[in-house]
Amino acid sequence: MILRAGYFLKRALRNMRQSPVLSLASIGTVAVALALLAFFAIAVLNVQQLTKSWGENLAVVAYLDDVPDEKTIDGWVKHIEGYPEVATVTFVSRQAAFERFRKRLGDDSDLVEGLGPDILPASLEITLQEDWRNESALATVVDRLRKDHRFGDLQYGQGWLEKLEAFLLLLRVSGSALGGFLVFAALVIVANTIKLTLYARQDELEAMTMVGGTSLFIKLPYLVEGALQGFMGGLTALGLSFLVFQVILQKSLGSLLLITGIDTIHFLPPIWQGMLVVGGGLIGLLGSLFALRKFVRFGAS
Amino acid sequence: MILRAGYFLKRALRNMRQSPVLSLASIGTVAVALALLAFFAIAVLNVQQLTKSWGENLAVVAYLDDVPDEKTIDGWVKHIEGYPEVATVTFVSRQAAFERFRKRLGDDSDLVEGLGPDILPASLEITLQEDWRNESALATVVDRLRKDHRFGDLQYGQGWLEKLEAFLLLLRVSGSALGGFLVFAALVIVANTIKLTLYARQDELEAMTMVGGTSLFIKLPYLVEGALQGFMGGLTALGLSFLVFQVILQKSLGSLLLITGIDTIHFLPPIWQGMLVVGGGLIGLLGSLFALRKFVRFGAS
Amino acid sequence: MIQLFNVCKAYQRDQNALNDITLNIDKGEFVYLTGPSGAGKSTLLKLLYCAERPTRGQILVNGRNITRFGPSRIPYLRRNLGIIFQDFKLLTRRTVYENVAFPLEIQGRKRFEISKKVYHTLKSVGLEHRLNHHPLQLSGGEQQRVAVARALVVDPLILLADEPTGNLDPEVTLDIMELFKIANARGTTIVMATHDRSLIHQFPRRVVSLEAGSLATDDLPLFRGQPGTTGHF
Amino acid sequence: MIQLFNVCKAYQRDQNALNDITLNIDKGEFVYLTGPSGAGKSTLLKLLYCAERPTRGQILVNGRNITRFGPSRIPYLRRNLGIIFQDFKLLTRRTVYENVAFPLEIQGRKRFEISKKVYHTLKSVGLEHRLNHHPLQLSGGEQQRVAVARALVVDPLILLADEPTGNLDPEVTLDIMELFKIANARGTTIVMATHDRSLIHQFPRRVVSLEAGSLATDDLPLFRGQPGTTGHF
Ligand SMILES: Nc1ncnc2c1ncn2[C@@H]1O[C@H](COP(=O)(O)OP(=O)(O)OP(=O)(O)O)[C@@H](O)[C@H]1O
Ligand SMILES: Nc1ncnc2c1ncn2[C@@H]1O[C@H](COP(=O)(O)OP(=O)(O)OP(=O)(O)O)[C@@H](O)[C@H]1O
Ligand SMILES: [Mg+2]
Ligand SMILES: [Mg+2]
C-alpha cells in the first residue's frame, strides 16, 4: 500500500484535471471561506495589539506628601521595582505633575493660571508587567505599598481597570464565538461542496465497488483530492488576503489609520499563515471523509 | 405559460423532495453564508449606533464673560436655535460648570477644593443636527457666532472632530469592503453549490433537451428551485442569527456589555430582515441562472 | 421526409464516422439501418435529431435544412420526432408515468388528455402495472419499453429508433414491432437501427446498411438478396 | 460452485421478483439464463454478486455462504467474479484502457503485467484501436465490448454476463461467444443471461429459464426439447 501512494496521488490529480468545474468550484469555495477567516484573524490580531498598548497605561500612582532627596527616591524606586508584578517605576516631580495637569485640562488650562506648581503632589508611577495586568495583582501591589506606610495616598483606577478587563473579555468571547462560527461555517461549506462533487460522481463510485474495489482503495484518491483541493483553497485564501491587506488596508486606508492613532497594522504571523493552509487541507480531507461515508456503498442494503 | 406557473412550482418542490441531500446542502450553505452576513450587519449596526452617540457630544461652547439676565439668555438661545445646523442650545451656569469640572477631575477633585465656582465662566453649549455633524458645518456655525461679537470665546474640538470623522470613515470603508466581500463570497458559494447540484443532474437535463424541451421550459423549475432554496436559506439564517443574538449576545454578554458602557444592542431592523430573506432568494435565483447556462445544451456543439 | 446530401461526420480529425452519405427517405417509409458495431448507425440518427452536426453536407428533415439549426429551433424539431435512444435516456428521478408524460407536458397538452394517452401507451408496451416505479427499479427490458412508450406517445412525424429491441425477449419484440407497424400505417416515417436479422426476415422492409461509415447496401424488400445502389429512388 | 437454496427476493412487499429458487451450478459449467423481460434474470445475477440480498434462502458461491457478506468481504468476492452488467457500468471519466485495467489495479498487479493483459484482452474484443477513447465516445456495441473485456481480463473463477451481446451484431456476437468458450474451457464457470435464441441454438448448453420469478425449465443440451425438472443434478 505504501508503495502505491504515487498511484493514489496520480489518480487524484487526474480526477481534478478531468473535471475542472468540480475542482475549481470546491477550491474556490474553500478559498473564499478561508479568506474570510483570514480577514477575521487579521482584525482580531490588530485589535489585540491595540488593547495591549492600552494595558500598558495600567498603573498605580503613589502620592508623596513630602519629597525626599534623590537618593532616597532612587532607593524606593529600586525597592518597588523588586516586586515580582512591577514592570517600571517612574518618579514624577511636582513641577512635572502640574505641567501634565495643565495639558490635561486642554482648552481649559487658563483656569489654573496663576496657581503655583505646589498645588499638586509629587508621585511615583508604577506600571505592572504584562502577565500581571489584572485586578487581583493590582490589589496585591497596592496592599504591599500600603503596608509600607511611606506611601499613604495611593491612587489606582479601579473602575477603569474593571472596564478595560470587561472590554477585553468581551472582545475575546465574541471574537472566539464569531471565529468558531466562521471555522464551522467553512467546514460545513467545504464538506457540502465535496459531498456535492461526490454526488456528481456517484455512478463512478458505484461502478468501482462493483468490480471489487475495497472501500479504502476507492476512497483514497478522493480523500487525497479533497485534501489537495483544501490545500489549494488555503493557499488561494492566503494570497487573496495578503493582496487585500496590501492594497486596501495598507495603501488606501493607511492615512486614515494614522489619523485614528493606530500606527501600523500587521499581517498574519507565519505560523498562522501555515495554519491557514494546513487547515484548508485538513478541512478538505475531513469533508471528503465525511461525504464518502454516504456514497461508497456495496449494494446489498 | 402564465397558467402553468403552478406546474413549475410543483416540479421544483418535487425536485427538492426527491433529492433532499442536494437541497439540504444548498439550503445549508446559503443559510451559513447569510448568517455570517447577518452577524456582520448586527455588528456594524451597533457600532454605528455607538459612534452616533459619540457624535451627539459634538458641540460648540460659547463662553460668556458676563452673565446676563435670564430673559436675555433665553433670547440668545432662541436666536442660535434658529441656525439651520443647530440642534440644541443649553445654558450652563458658572455653578454647573464648576460641578462638572470637579467631576471630570475624578480622583483629583480634592485639588480644586477651596476654590470658588467663579473660577469657571458660564457658557452656551450648542450641539449640531445629525446631518450637519462635520467639520465644515461646524466652521460655518463658529463663523456666524464669531461675527455676533457677543460670543468671543468659542471652543470647539477641532482635532478631536477630525479624528472622529476619520474613524467613522475608516469604519464605513472597511465595513463596506468586508461586507461587500461577504456578499460576494455568499454569491460565489451559493452559485457554486447550485452549479454542483446541477452537475449531479446533468443526465436529467440532457434527457430533457433530447425530447424537445425548450430552454425556458427545462430551466424554469430549476430557477424556481434555486430561488426557493435561497429563500429558505435566508429564513434559516435569520432564525439562526436571532437565536445567537438572543442567547449569546443578549443573555451571556449582557452584563459585560453594561460594564463597557454599551447599554443595549439591537437586532437587525425589520427592513434588513426582509432584505436578508429576499436577498437569499435572489442569490439562489442568480446562482441557478448562472449555472444553468453551462448545463442546458442542445447537443450540436 | 428525410434527405441527406454528401453527409460526412468526423468526431476526430482523420477518422470519418460517416463518409459521404447520400440518402432519401420518403414520407411513410419504414427503413432498417444495419451494419456492424461501430459502423455509424447511431451517428446517422444523431445527425437527424441534431445531437451532432455534420462535418460536411446538408440534411433536410420535413423540408427544412436542419444543418445549422440553433438551440432555439432544435426543441421544435425534436417535438416532431419520436426518439428511442440506445441508452434510453430516461429521467431517473421521475416515475415511469412522468417519463412518458414529459414530452406531452412540453407540448402543453391538457392534463386529462395526457393521462389518457400515457396510460394507453404504457398499456400497449405492457407496463401499465409499473406506472409509479422509477426507471432504476425496472429491468433492462422494461426500461427499454418505457423509452419506446415515450417515443410513441407523441404520435411522431418520424420515429428514430436506435436498437429498440436489444434488451427484449422475442415475444415482446414482436409486440413492439406491431406497434411500429401500426404507427407506420398511420403515416409515421420510421428509421430503425437494428442488429436483429431474424426481425428483418419476419418484417421485411427497406434495409440500408452501413459499413465503416459508408453506405454499403440499400435494398428494397422486393429485391432482397440483389444488392441495390445508393440511389434506389 | 454456485448453489441457491429456496431463494426468494422481493423488492416490494407483495411482489416476489424471485420465487423459491433452488439451483446448483457445478464448477466449469456454462449455463444460459433465459426468460421473458422482467422474469428475474438480472435479479438472480445481482444476488450472486451481492448487489442485492435475498429476502429468504441461502446462496453459496465457491463453498462460501455469501448471504450475509458485509462491506468488507464483498470486494474480495467480486474480485473472483467477472461481471458484465446489463447497463455496462463503465467509468465514464476514464479511458477504455483504464477501465479494463481497473480490476487489475485493485488486485495490485504489476504495471507491465497490467498493460500486457489489457492490450491483449482489448485486442480479443476488437477494440485495440480505441484504447484512449472515453466510453461516451464509443458506439453502444463498443461500450459493451469494453464491459466484456473488463470482465474477462481478470481470468475470473465465475463469469456473470447479463445480456452481453444485446448491442452487438451477429458477427461480433460470435467472436465474443468464442472468447467465452475459451474461458469456459480454461475452467471459468459461466452464467449468461440472454434473449438470443439463435445463440442458444448455435452453442447449445444447459438452459435455465425463469418465468415471473420462478424456475420454469432447466434443460441440459442433450435433452433439449424435453422439459426437465428443477433438480437435474
Ligand atoms: N462522441 C464520439 N467521439 C469520438 N468518436 C465517436 C463518438 N461517438 C461515436 N464515435 C465513433 O464513431 C463510430 C460510429 O459510432 P456509432 O455510435 O455511430 O456506431 P453504431 O453503428 O451505432 O454502433 P453500435 O451498433 O455498436 O451502436 C464508432 O467507431 C465510435 O467509436
Ligand atoms: N430495484 C428494484 N426495485 C423494485 N423492483 C425491481 C427492482 N429491480 C427489479 N425490479 C423488478 O423485478 C422484476 C425482475 O427484474 P429483473 O431485472 O431481474 O428482470 P430481467 O429478467 O433481468 O428482465 P430483462 O430481461 O428485461 O432485463 C421486474 O419486474 C422489475 O420491475
Ligand atoms: Mg449505436
Ligand atoms: Mg435484466
Side-chain angles (χ1 to χ4, degrees):
Chain A
M1 208 47 138
I2 297 161
L3 280 168
R4 292 160 78 197
Y7 171 81
F8 294 109
L9 189 66
K10 212 175 64 189
R11 269 272 42 111
L13 286 172
R14 210 175 286 176
N15 274 351
M16 287 169 68
R17 254 210 319 279
Q18 277 176 352
S19 38
V21 183
L22 294 185
S23 298
L24 285 181
S26 44
I27 292 176
T29 305
V30 178
V32 163
L34 289 181
L36 275 178
L37 256 185
F39 287 145
F40 181 73
I42 292 175
V44 164
L45 216 69
N46 283 286
V47 169
Q48 254 178 5
Q49 204 65 37
L50 197 73
T51 53
K52 206 187 254 173
S53 78
W54 290 356
E56 272 162 25
N57 292 326
L58 203 59
V60 182
V61 181
Y63 289 105
L64 307 173
D65 296 332
D66 310 298
V67 183
D69 60 273
E70 267 189 38
K71 238 180 107 184
T72 323
I73 290 172
D74 271 4
W76 291 354
V77 166
K78 290 259 157 58
H79 172 67
I80 299 173
E81 275 180 351
Y83 291 3
E85 299 91 350
V86 168
T88 63
V89 181
T90 322
F91 172 70
V92 181
S93 68
R94 282 195 161 141
Q95 188 66 41
F98 185 71
E99 270 311 306
R100 218 202 270 162
F101 180 55
R102 211 162 55 187
K103 273 212 190 102
R104 199 201 240 182
L105 285 177
D107 289 324
D108 299 321
S109 65
D110 44 350
L111 302 176
V112 288
E113 223 144 276
L115 299 174
D118 42 297
I119 65 159
L120 291 182
S123 60
L124 289 175
E125 289 186 1
I126 301 155
T127 64
L128 301 183
Q129 295 209 343
E130 216 176 317
D131 295 348
W132 296 98
R133 272 175 207 147
N134 57 53
E135 198 80 16
S136 67
L138 190 67
T140 319
V141 172
V142 167
D143 258 20
R144 217 173 298 146
L145 287 171
R146 204 163 261 152
K147 283 200 192 98
D148 207 321
H149 293 297
R150 279 172 302 202
F151 318 108
D153 195 0
L154 291 170
Q155 193 204 18
Y156 48 98
Q158 290 106 318
W160 185 70
L161 183 60
E162 210 172 42
K163 261 192 190 170
L164 183 65
E165 269 178 8
F167 184 70
L168 284 180
L169 189 62
L170 183 69
L171 264 187
R172 220 169 291 135
V173 170
S174 58
S176 32
L178 188 55
F181 184 72
L182 260 173
V183 172
F184 170 77
L187 226 145
V188 166
I189 288 171
V190 171
N192 261 350
T193 307
I194 290 177
K195 195 191 292 171
L196 290 177
T197 61
L198 290 179
Y199 205 101
R201 291 176 185 168
Q202 59 186 337
D203 288 352
E204 187 174 323
L205 289 167
E206 194 212 343
M208 291 197 291
T209 63
M210 284 301 170
V211 292
T214 54
S215 183
L216 188 67
F217 187 90
I218 295 171
K219 284 177 179 174
L220 256 179
Y222 294 97
L223 291 177
V224 173
E225 190 182 343
L228 273 178
Q229 288 176 351
F231 187 79
M232 288 179 185
L235 274 180
T236 314
L238 190 64
L240 194 70
S241 52
F242 187 69
L243 208 81
V244 171
F245 174 78
Q246 282 285 347
V247 174
I248 297 187
L249 289 178
Q250 283 218 314
K251 297 240 165 85
S252 314
L253 298 183
S255 51
L256 275 180
L257 285 167
L258 269 178
I259 296 176
T260 54
I262 307 165
D263 48 354
T264 48
I265 63 165
H266 301 277
F267 192 60
L268 298 176
I271 299 170
W272 288 39
Q273 293 178 24
M275 270 168 53
L276 192 73
V277 177
V278 173
L282 225 67
I283 286 178
L285 188 70
L286 285 178
S288 313
L289 199 63
F290 189 75
L292 276 166
R293 278 194 331 193
K294 221 191 113 54
F295 286 113
V296 177
R297 295 247 177 95
F298 287 84
S301 45
Chain B
M1 207 46 137
I2 296 162
L3 281 168
R4 293 160 77 196
Y7 171 81
F8 294 108
L9 189 66
K10 212 174 64 191
R11 271 270 44 112
L13 286 172
R14 210 174 288 177
N15 275 350
M16 288 169 67
R17 254 209 320 277
Q18 277 177 351
S19 38
V21 182
L22 295 184
S23 298
L24 285 180
S26 44
I27 291 175
T29 305
V30 177
V32 162
L34 289 181
L36 275 177
L37 256 185
F39 289 144
F40 181 74
I42 291 175
V44 164
L45 215 70
N46 283 286
V47 169
Q48 254 179 7
Q49 203 65 37
L50 196 74
T51 54
K52 204 188 254 173
S53 79
W54 291 354
E56 270 163 23
N57 291 326
L58 202 61
V60 182
V61 181
Y63 290 105
L64 307 173
D65 295 331
D66 307 299
V67 183
D69 60 274
E70 267 189 36
K71 238 181 104 186
T72 322
I73 290 172
D74 272 3
W76 290 354
V77 166
K78 289 259 159 59
H79 172 68
I80 299 171
E81 277 181 349
Y83 291 4
E85 298 91 351
V86 168
T88 63
V89 181
T90 321
F91 172 70
V92 180
S93 68
R94 282 193 163 145
Q95 188 68 38
F98 184 70
E99 271 312 307
R100 217 201 273 163
F101 180 56
R102 212 162 54 186
K103 274 214 189 100
R104 198 202 240 182
L105 285 177
D107 289 323
D108 299 321
S109 65
D110 43 351
L111 302 175
V112 288
E113 226 145 271
L115 299 175
D118 42 298
I119 65 161
L120 291 182
S123 61
L124 289 174
E125 288 186 1
I126 301 155
T127 64
L128 301 184
Q129 296 209 342
E130 217 176 314
D131 295 347
W132 295 97
R133 273 175 207 148
N134 57 51
E135 199 79 15
S136 66
L138 191 67
T140 319
V141 173
V142 168
D143 259 20
R144 216 172 301 146
L145 287 170
R146 204 161 262 151
K147 284 203 192 97
D148 206 321
H149 294 296
R150 278 172 301 202
F151 318 108
D153 194 1
L154 291 169
Q155 194 204 19
Y156 49 96
Q158 290 106 320
W160 185 71
L161 183 60
E162 210 172 42
K163 263 194 190 169
L164 183 66
E165 269 180 4
F167 184 70
L168 284 180
L169 189 61
L170 183 68
L171 263 187
R172 219 169 291 136
V173 170
S174 57
S176 33
L178 189 54
F181 183 72
L182 260 173
V183 172
F184 170 78
L187 226 146
V188 166
I189 288 171
V190 171
N192 261 350
T193 308
I194 290 177
K195 195 192 291 173
L196 290 176
T197 60
L198 290 179
Y199 206 100
R201 291 178 185 166
Q202 59 185 334
D203 287 352
E204 186 174 323
L205 289 167
E206 194 211 343
M208 291 198 290
T209 63
M210 284 301 170
V211 292
T214 54
S215 183
L216 189 68
F217 187 90
I218 294 170
K219 285 177 179 174
L220 257 179
Y222 295 97
L223 291 178
V224 173
E225 190 182 343
L228 272 178
Q229 289 176 350
F231 187 79
M232 288 177 184
L235 274 180
T236 314
L238 190 65
L240 194 70
S241 51
F242 187 69
L243 208 81
V244 170
F245 173 77
Q246 283 285 348
V247 173
I248 299 186
L249 289 178
Q250 284 217 314
K251 297 238 166 85
S252 315
L253 297 183
S255 51
L256 275 180
L257 285 167
L258 267 178
I259 296 176
T260 55
I262 306 165
D263 48 352
T264 48
I265 64 165
H266 300 277
F267 192 61
L268 299 176
I271 298 169
W272 288 39
Q273 294 178 23
M275 270 168 55
L276 192 74
V277 178
V278 173
L282 223 68
I283 285 177
L285 188 70
L286 285 177
S288 315
L289 198 65
F290 189 75
L292 277 165
R293 278 194 330 193
K294 222 190 113 52
F295 287 113
V296 178
R297 293 251 176 92
F298 287 85
S301 46
Chain C
M1 183 56 73
I2 300 172
Q3 287 160 291
L4 286 86
F5 300 104
N6 304 103
V7 169
C8 289
K9 173 65 190 177
Y11 290 104
Q12 271 127 350
R13 267 290 161 72
D14 44 353
Q15 284 180 311
N16 269 12
L18 285 180
N19 219 329
D20 198 36
I21 306 281
T22 299
L23 187 65
N24 187 31
I25 296 172
D26 289 330
K27 182 164 169 52
E29 258 194 293
F30 190 133
V31 179
Y32 289 115
L33 199 58
T34 62
S37 174
K41 303 179 292 297
S42 300
T43 303
L44 182 60
L45 294 178
K46 280 178 191 163
L47 292 177
L48 295 181
Y49 58 79
C50 282
E52 297 286 353
R53 275 194 207 292
T55 315
R56 228 154 43 75
Q58 304 295 325
I59 301 172
L60 269 65
V61 171
N62 201 14
R64 298 244 173 83
N65 188 334
I66 63 165
T67 321
R68 292 285 156 232
F69 263 26
S72 59
R73 301 184 66 183
I74 289 175
Y76 297 96
L77 166 69
R78 288 183 187 159
R79 287 185 194 181
N80 290 320
L81 308 177
I83 314 174
I84 301 164
F85 303 92
Q86 197 167 6
D87 56 354
F88 313 157
K89 293 197 194 303
L90 298 176
L91 302 170
T92 50
R93 297 187 316 127
R94 300 201 184 183
T95 63
V96 167
Y97 177 90
E98 289 172 323
N99 265 281
V100 179
F102 189 70
L104 295 174
E105 284 173 357
I106 287 175
Q107 296 184 5
R109 302 285 185 88
K110 296 271 181 310
R111 186 96 72 89
F112 71 90
E113 189 193 353
I114 292 179
S115 65
K116 217 177 68 185
K117 275 201 92 121
V118 170
Y119 184 80
H120 179 78
T121 312
L122 279 175
K123 198 175 157 103
S124 70
V125 298
L127 285 179
E128 72 276 15
H129 57 299
R130 292 272 182 262
L131 275 180
N132 291 315
H133 279 59
H134 286 264
L136 295 180
Q137 298 177 323
L138 298 181
S139 81
E142 287 165 345
Q143 287 178 32
Q144 192 157 40
R145 282 181 278 162
V146 176
V148 170
R150 184 178 63 181
L152 288 177
V153 78
V154 291
D155 295 322
L157 203 60
I158 302 171
L159 179 73
L160 303 175
D162 201 347
E163 301 203 35
T165 60
N167 285 279
L168 299 177
D169 57 290
E171 284 72 28
V172 178
T173 299
L174 292 189
D175 294 347
I176 299 295
M177 283 305 288
E178 282 304 324
L179 291 176
F180 286 2
K181 273 169 76 178
I182 292 168
N184 190 225
R186 282 213 207 113
T188 298
T189 307
I190 297 182
V191 183
M192 170 173 164
T194 188
H195 291 305
D196 195 338
R197 283 190 195 151
S198 65
L199 203 66
I200 302 179
H201 280 285
Q202 281 182 65
F203 300 88
R205 292 289 184 283
R206 179 179 166 195
V207 178
V208 172
S209 83
L210 296 174
E211 198 120 1
S214 298
L215 245 173
T217 64
D218 187 348
D219 299 336
L220 279 181
L222 294 178
F223 310 116
R224 193 152 19 109
Q226 180 188 348
T229 54
T230 314
H232 87 107
F233 37 84
Chain D
M1 184 55 74
I2 300 171
Q3 285 159 293
L4 286 85
F5 300 102
N6 303 103
V7 169
C8 289
K9 173 68 191 177
Y11 291 105
Q12 271 127 351
R13 270 290 161 72
D14 45 352
Q15 284 179 312
N16 268 12
L18 285 180
N19 220 330
D20 198 35
I21 306 281
T22 299
L23 187 66
N24 186 31
I25 296 172
D26 290 331
K27 183 163 167 54
E29 259 195 291
F30 190 132
V31 179
Y32 289 115
L33 198 60
T34 62
S37 173
K41 303 179 294 297
S42 300
T43 302
L44 183 60
L45 294 177
K46 278 178 193 163
L47 292 177
L48 295 181
Y49 57 82
C50 282
E52 297 286 352
R53 275 195 208 290
T55 314
R56 228 155 40 78
Q58 305 295 323
I59 301 172
L60 269 66
V61 172
N62 200 17
R64 297 244 174 82
N65 187 334
I66 63 165
T67 320
R68 291 286 157 231
F69 263 26
S72 60
R73 301 183 68 183
I74 290 175
Y76 298 95
L77 166 70
R78 288 182 188 159
R79 287 184 194 183
N80 291 320
L81 308 177
I83 314 172
I84 302 164
F85 303 91
Q86 198 168 6
D87 56 354
F88 313 158
K89 294 200 194 300
L90 298 176
L91 303 170
T92 51
R93 298 186 317 127
R94 302 203 182 183
T95 64
V96 167
Y97 178 90
E98 290 172 323
N99 266 281
V100 179
F102 189 69
L104 296 174
E105 284 174 356
I106 287 175
Q107 297 186 4
R109 303 285 184 89
K110 296 270 181 313
R111 185 97 71 89
F112 70 88
E113 190 195 350
I114 292 178
S115 65
K116 217 177 68 185
K117 274 200 92 121
V118 170
Y119 184 80
H120 179 78
T121 312
L122 280 175
K123 198 174 157 101
S124 71
V125 299
L127 283 180
E128 71 278 14
H129 58 297
R130 292 272 183 263
L131 275 181
N132 292 315
H133 279 60
H134 286 263
L136 294 180
Q137 296 177 324
L138 298 180
S139 80
E142 287 165 345
Q143 288 178 33
Q144 193 157 39
R145 282 180 280 162
V146 176
V148 169
R150 183 177 64 181
L152 288 176
V153 79
V154 291
D155 295 322
L157 202 62
I158 302 172
L159 179 73
L160 303 174
D162 201 347
E163 300 202 37
T165 60
N167 286 279
L168 299 177
D169 57 288
E171 285 72 29
V172 178
T173 299
L174 293 189
D175 294 346
I176 299 296
M177 284 306 287
E178 281 305 324
L179 292 176
F180 286 2
K181 274 169 75 180
I182 292 169
N184 189 225
R186 283 213 207 112
T188 297
T189 308
I190 298 182
V191 183
M192 171 171 163
T194 187
H195 291 302
D196 195 337
R197 283 188 195 154
S198 63
L199 203 66
I200 302 178
H201 279 283
Q202 282 180 65
F203 299 88
R205 291 289 185 282
R206 179 178 167 198
V207 178
V208 171
S209 83
L210 296 173
E211 198 119 2
S214 300
L215 248 173
T217 65
D218 187 347
D219 299 336
L220 279 179
L222 295 177
F223 310 116
R224 193 153 20 109
Q226 183 188 346
T229 54
T230 315
H232 86 106
F233 38 85

